[in-house]
Amino acid sequence: MSEVNSPERVGGWTRLVTARPRLSLLAALVITALAVFAGSGVADRMGSGGWEAPDAESTYTTQVLEREFPASQPNLLLLIDSGGVSVDDPAVAAEAARLTERLAGEEGITGVGSYWRTASPSLRSEDGREAIVAARIEGDEKAAGETLDRIAPAYRGVHGPVEVSVGGPVAVRHEMQTIIQEDLLRAELIALPVTLVLLVMVFGSAIAALLPLGVGIVAILGTNAVLRGITELTDVSVFAQNLTTALGLGLAIDYALFIVRRFREELAAGADTRAAIGTTLRTAGRTVLFSALTVAVSLAAMMVFPQYFLRSFAYAGIAVVLLAAAAALILLPAALMLLGPRVNSLDLRKLLRRRGEGPSPAAEPAEGPGRGWARFAVLVMRRAPVFAVVTTVGLVLLGLPFLGVRFGTADDRQLPASAESRVVQEHIRDAFPGSPGGGLEVLAEGAATPAQYADFRTRIAALPGVQRVDGPVTGDGSAYFNVLPEGESVGQEAQRLVRELRAETAPFDTSVTGAAAVLVDSKDAIADRLPWAVGIIVVVTLLLVFLLTGSVLIPVQAVVLNALSLTAMFGAVVWVFQDGHLSGLLSFTSTGDIETTLPVLMFCVAFGLSMDYGVFLLSRIKEEHDRTGDHEHSVTFGLRHTGGLITAAAVILAVVMVAIGTSRVTNTKMLGLGIALAVLMDAMVVRSLLVPAVMKLTGRVTWWAPGPLRAFHQRFGLSEGERAAAPSEPRPAGEIPGPEGRERDKVMAEA
């Protein structure tokens, strides 16, 4: 009996997951059905904000103003178009007054004001044909959205001599949430069939192709149920659903690809079904587990940030990664146990072959383009210095545009140009003096005399960059001033003005909020927590890769090369989305900056996905190095057996991310297209060129570790394949045992 068929090779986990495969799959079907029920309506419970730091000064100030001076924080704006006559026309004024009174009587509405009540010039357009009714919808995002849905239809449209459009921050966020849900459904309808076609091309067998897709669907539905539960405890961003779909399909397909591929290799080598599953779980299964841990850690690092926008992606990402790994390690082996050799059934590629040509379905995954990858690895290692330098310089050059990044905040321009709330905001921004809503509010708390208020107003009006100061509006023991900055409401001058306002002394407590203040606080919060997030990712990645390889140098290489793989993504984000190149082709409006939290999110997600592919390649290299001790042969072997599969997995994940990137919301478009680029660069450039080149340059020292760490790894480390101490001296090429040695010599000779 061959080694792969020996009973002792079937471990306890294999016996557990294959003992009652039908029962396991039935239980999974029931749990998935319950997850569909539990996760239904999850999007309606999510928020579309979360960029603000909850413990920041601007957040505190906003909350106090909302409570004490609701008119200072309007989130609902009715744009009144008088149809060509002046807004002061008696008929227009009468209808506007009627609408204002009606709005003030609506449940959940407070702080109603209008041009016709206050005669404020900031609420009247410069041409005198449009004016604003402003109000505040009470409650959190969900309650505000429900109120908007209830009242908006009664105000939108023609009312006598005027036409009303609905805008304001609450309308922008609500419309963004609706569009994201619609776009996500469209992305799924695009990604699923294309993914299935690609899987059929990879496997040939329609049966094998359906397995990864099934794992992905289970992971997505399970994550929606988890997120539904989390919304009962804390805020969750609707953007997190995009990550759920992308990672649920992408990672689940990655994991299933590697497990099914290894299972088919073992069957082709003569193993029976149970033994093939045992070897698969002991090798590819361990790698999947390590990969899931590294990706989960990268996503978990976003938990250190206070903004719930970032934390939401950690919730969704951790859930979907763990569920994808669990489905791949529990449900997939049960399905393979039932299928056995029938996993190769329905080979659709036979339609493209002439009778009698081409390898059999069982043998094809083991061979396929593998020898081409082996030749390529030998070529790269033969010219390792050239490939290493040229590739590194190229990646650095692609990332240079990121040095000019400017951070901003999301606004209505995230929406498509036809969105009603964006149209309203653009009218206000372009046609109204001082851009209402773009000012800074300075809250004054504590007893003060009118003279003290007047003196403080005079001093802040004298600050550079101040266009106008309104107020104070006084209340019970507090007051606020509205400060209108010159230039853009969230530009560099406005941000500088925030810091100067906060530095002003007064005989009472002051605090500042407004769009620029929120941006300043968000940037400060991210800058404060970013070292912790990066530190967590780097330290845990170093530890996990060491446990996988037993090397000190390989974990350092993995972190550095992963970081290099992200340069093209960050450079493209600035060149395309900040500077506006390709904006016409991609149908978005450039705001001249990048939303502050997006680079953090993209770094954590893309770094985790890069480690995913790195772990798959390194584990196969490590397995062969343990077996033969030949460094260069191990690199060639690893790239031969994973290069094509990693590329296929990256293309499939990129397809999913591009489908997400078809969103009409700019941030979602940026997330999808940026990560798709990062994944492709990592798989096709870093794993194919840099990894073999660098490992050739570092040579045998690649596997070095000091004695205490070697002992630690021998006791606690895990790797793909059986634990074996690498030989102290590598075998000569001709002494590599078995057909792999002969094949290696042949490839080296041909190359």
Side-chain angles (χ1 to χ4, degrees):
M1 180 177 291
S2 67
E3 187 177 79
V4 292
N5 285 291
S6 59
E8 63 270 19
R9 304 272 294 180
V10 178
W13 182 253
T14 303
R15 288 192 292 270
L16 177 65
V17 298
T18 61
R20 298 180 182 272
R22 288 184 177 83
L23 182 61
S24 298
L25 294 177
L26 179 61
L29 182 63
V30 172
I31 293 173
T32 302
L34 293 174
V36 172
F37 174 77
S40 61
V42 62
D44 295 332
R45 301 185 59 84
M46 292 179 164
S48 53
W51 294 284
E52 305 87 358
D55 55 350
E57 177 182 318
S58 57
T59 304
Y60 165 79
T61 309
T62 299
Q63 292 170 346
V64 174
L65 290 173
E66 288 175 358
R67 184 176 64 249
E68 303 295 334
F69 305 98
S72 71
Q73 297 288 301
N75 57 10
L76 174 65
L77 302 176
L78 301 183
L79 180 65
I80 311 295
D81 187 338
S82 63
V85 302
S86 171
V87 293
D88 296 312
D89 181 86
V92 171
E95 183 60 28
R98 187 187 70 80
L99 290 171
T100 303
E101 291 299 324
R102 180 181 173 187
L103 183 62
E106 297 280 2
E107 182 181 355
I109 300 293
T110 185
V112 179
S114 72
Y115 164 72
W116 296 273
R117 279 188 173 184
T118 65
S120 171
S122 65
L123 299 178
R124 179 179 182 271
S125 66
E126 293 177 340
D127 65 6
R129 296 178 180 180
E130 293 176 320
I132 294 173
V133 176
R136 177 154 197 90
I137 301 181
E138 297 178 312
D140 58 17
E141 288 181 15
K142 182 175 182 296
E146 291 174 349
T147 301
L148 181 68
D149 280 337
R150 175 171 53 84
I151 69 172
Y155 293 88
R156 183 183 292 118
V158 176
H159 295 264
V162 302
E163 183 175 0
V164 180
S165 302
V166 179
V170 70
V172 170
R173 291 187 175 186
H174 191 61
E175 196 161 7
M176 187 179 297
Q177 186 172 12
T178 301
I179 290 175
I180 287 173
Q181 293 179 40
E182 295 171 353
D183 290 348
L184 182 60
L185 177 61
R186 187 183 69 250
E188 291 171 345
L189 294 176
I190 294 172
L192 286 173
V194 175
T195 296
L196 181 58
V197 170
L198 291 174
L199 287 170
V200 170
M201 293 174 63
V202 172
F203 283 121
S205 162
I207 298 297
L210 287 171
L211 293 175
L213 209 57
V215 171
I217 292 172
V218 168
I220 291 171
L221 295 176
T223 302
N224 284 338
V226 171
L227 291 177
R228 175 64 176 80
I230 294 176
T231 59
E232 297 289 340
L233 305 175
T234 187
D235 293 320
V236 179
S237 172
V238 69
F239 285 92
Q241 276 203 302
N242 294 295
L243 187 68
T244 298
T245 297
L247 292 186
L249 282 177
L251 286 179
I253 287 171
D254 284 357
Y255 298 157
L257 268 174
F258 278 84
I259 287 178
V260 174
R261 180 73 170 262
R262 188 62 183 253
F263 174 72
R264 297 175 80 190
E265 287 182 7
E266 296 302 321
L267 287 182
D272 62 36
T273 299
R274 190 181 297 272
I277 293 174
T279 302
T280 298
L281 291 178
R282 190 171 56 254
T283 55
R286 284 179 179 174
T287 304
V288 165
L289 181 60
F290 263 85
S291 172
L293 289 175
T294 56
V295 177
V297 166
S298 294
L299 297 172
M302 286 185 283
M303 292 287 290
V304 306
F305 297 101
Q307 294 94 331
Y308 86 74
F309 174 79
L310 289 174
R311 297 171 70 90
S312 298
F313 285 93
Y315 305 145
I318 294 170
V320 76
V321 168
L322 297 183
L323 286 172
L329 297 176
I330 299 173
L331 302 183
L332 191 54
L336 294 174
M337 186 66 192
L338 292 177
L339 289 171
R342 288 175 295 177
V343 73
N344 296 315
S345 300
L346 298 180
D347 183 8
L348 302 182
R349 290 183 300 189
K350 286 182 178 179
L351 300 175
L352 304 178
R353 300 191 193 106
R354 288 181 299 177
R355 183 180 299 275
E357 292 187 1
S360 67
E364 192 167 32
E367 298 296 328
R371 290 188 58 187
W373 282 101
R375 294 190 186 95
F376 185 72
V378 172
L379 173 64
V380 170
M381 288 190 288
R382 183 169 293 172
R383 300 287 186 268
V386 175
F387 279 101
V389 171
V390 171
T391 305
T392 301
V393 170
L395 290 173
V396 170
L397 290 175
L398 289 175
L400 287 180
F402 193 71
L403 296 177
V405 66
R406 296 184 296 274
F407 294 110
T409 187
D411 60 19
D412 58 277
R413 287 170 290 182
Q414 292 281 315
L415 295 171
S418 60
E420 180 189 23
S421 58
R422 173 176 173 174
V423 171
V424 171
Q425 296 303 118
E426 287 184 334
H427 270 266
I428 294 172
R429 188 164 44 242
D430 298 337
F432 284 70
S435 295
L440 300 169
E441 288 80 35
V442 181
L443 174 66
E445 296 180 284
T449 65
Q452 289 174 321
Y453 282 144
D455 176 66
F456 183 68
R457 173 178 173 168
T458 300
R459 285 192 286 117
I460 61 177
L463 292 174
V466 173
Q467 179 178 333
R468 190 178 74 240
V469 178
D470 296 327
V473 177
T474 58
D476 186 12
S478 61
Y480 79 91
F481 302 82
N482 187 273
V483 181
L484 186 65
E486 296 177 347
E488 297 182 11
S489 60
V490 292
Q492 292 298 319
E493 286 300 309
Q495 295 177 53
R496 179 193 55 76
L497 181 58
V498 169
R499 300 190 186 279
E500 292 191 359
L501 287 171
R502 289 174 173 174
E504 278 293 321
T505 58
F508 37 77
D509 295 329
T510 63
S511 55
V512 181
T513 190
V518 170
L519 175 58
V520 167
D521 290 339
S522 180
K523 289 166 64 174
D524 289 346
I526 289 175
D528 182 56
R529 309 291 176 87
L530 187 60
W532 289 98
V534 173
I536 290 170
I537 292 173
V538 170
V539 170
V540 178
T541 298
L542 291 173
L543 176 60
L544 288 174
V545 177
F546 170 76
L547 290 175
L548 180 68
T549 64
S551 162
V552 171
L553 186 59
I554 289 178
V556 176
Q557 288 180 359
V559 170
V560 173
L561 296 186
N562 273 19
L564 275 174
S565 72
L566 307 185
T567 54
M569 175 186 72
F570 285 124
V573 161
V574 171
W575 190 78
V576 175
F577 290 95
Q578 174 181 292
D579 299 341
H581 298 100
L582 307 181
S583 59
L585 178 65
L586 298 177
S587 300
F588 71 91
T589 300
S590 172
T591 59
D593 51 44
I594 301 296
E595 204 284 317
T596 313
T597 58
L598 256 294
V600 176
L601 168 63
M602 297 175 75
F603 169 79
C604 293
V605 174
F607 189 93
L609 293 175
S610 297
M611 279 306 306
D612 181 47
Y613 299 131
V615 165
F616 284 124
L617 175 58
L618 290 173
S619 62
R620 208 67 192 262
I621 294 174
K622 169 65 174 174
E623 176 188 4
E624 187 66 8
H625 188 266
D626 282 349
R627 191 174 72 87
T628 66
D630 187 299
H631 176 65
E632 290 187 32
H633 161 71
S634 300
V635 176
T636 303
F637 178 93
L639 198 60
R640 173 184 177 179
H641 284 265
T642 64
L645 202 56
I646 287 175
T647 302
V651 169
I652 291 172
L653 180 56
V655 165
V656 177
M657 296 307 305
V658 168
I660 297 295
T662 62
S663 173
R664 292 166 290 170
V665 176
T666 305
N667 274 357
T668 306
K669 189 187 299 289
M670 187 191 311
L671 177 67
L673 298 181
I675 293 180
L677 176 62
V679 165
L680 292 176
M681 292 296 293
D682 181 76
M684 297 182 177
V685 177
V686 173
R687 303 300 150 203
S688 302
L689 298 175
L690 266 185
V691 169
V694 170
M695 293 190 81
K696 165 67 175 179
L697 293 175
T698 53
R700 289 179 54 197
V701 75
T702 301
W703 304 99
W704 177 83
L709 289 181
R710 283 201 305 272
F712 180 85
H713 180 262
Q714 289 172 1
R715 182 172 181 182
F716 299 105
L718 291 173
S719 62
E720 195 167 295
E722 295 302 305
R723 185 181 306 282
S728 57
E729 294 292 337
R731 296 182 178 91
E735 295 183 13
I736 296 175
E740 286 293 344
R742 293 190 295 274
E743 179 64 23
R744 185 263 199 185
D745 295 341
K746 184 177 180 181
V747 168
M748 291 288 287
E750 291 175 347

